[in-house]
Amino acid sequence: MGTGEWTSTSLPYLAAPSGARGDAWAAEAAAEGRRGGQRIVRAGEVAAPAEVAGLLGVPVGEPVVARRRIMYLDDEPCELTDTYYPLDIAGGTALAGTARIRGGAIRLLAELGHVGARVREDVTARPATGHECEQLRLAAGEPVLQLTRLTLDGTDRPIQADVMAMPPRRQKLRYEIRIG
């Protein structure tokens, strides 16, 4: 990839906030006069699924730390986010628990010495699974956008992988690249 300037709707979620609080989702929603929130459904060690193992560079089934969240906009579920971390980075930290993290996960990672330097995102469309239909209040057969994000540190070590499912009618992804 070239060295041109770029911006993305993902940028607020990639850098540690300067203040003590780190809820970029709530801040983005508030800027639009709406309410953003999230609920952490589950957190802890899980066996790495194949896709996540490939992203994090670990064997399939190796323990990783996962956090599953449901994101809300004006009290409506709008996104399912599963975030995965290598066990040696997140094991035994607040990332492995269901409590909210003061300043956010990105800030905690930075405090632990793991700062993202590069991000790769892939966006695909696919039919929602039964679980996704239930959680996102979708009709059977409705599509979702799946955004898969891999965050790497300055040595290209994977430090975080996110797999998000969101109904297309509720989302807007924007990527802007300056050429040259």
Side-chain angles (χ1 to χ4, degrees), residues 25 32 34 71 73-74 76-79 123-129 132-146 165-173:
W25 173 246
E32 297 177 9
R34 304 182 79 181
M71 311 304 286
L73 186 59
D74 297 330
E76 288 293 318
C78 63
E79 180 181 303
V123 181
T124 57
R126 60 172 175 75
T129 65
E132 291 166 340
C133 287
E134 178 184 326
Q135 295 293 307
L136 294 169
R137 301 179 191 157
L138 303 174
E142 280 195 68
V144 290
L145 293 177
Q146 179 173 302
M166 55 197 96
R169 71 181 184 278
R170 300 182 197 158
Q171 298 298 323
K172 177 181 179 180
L173 303 173

Side-chain angles (χ1 to χ4, degrees), residues 42-123:
R42 181 172 67 235
E45 289 184 30
V46 300
E51 179 183 22
V52 170
L55 291 167
L56 294 178
V58 300
V60 173
E62 180 171 302
V64 295
V65 170
R67 288 172 68 87
R68 171 164 282 179
R69 295 171 291 151
I70 301 175
M71 311 304 286
Y72 294 89
L73 186 59
D74 297 330
D75 299 320
E76 288 293 318
C78 63
E79 180 181 303
L80 303 178
T81 300
D82 291 341
T83 302
Y84 300 88
Y85 306 93
L87 186 61
D88 64 330
I89 288 177
T93 72
L95 295 167
T98 56
R100 292 185 61 95
I101 298 171
R102 182 173 166 81
I106 300 299
R107 182 183 199 119
L108 177 57
L109 280 173
E111 289 172 1
L112 295 171
H114 303 284
V115 177
R118 188 166 62 94
V119 170
R120 183 183 75 218
E121 290 187 344
D122 294 304
V123 181

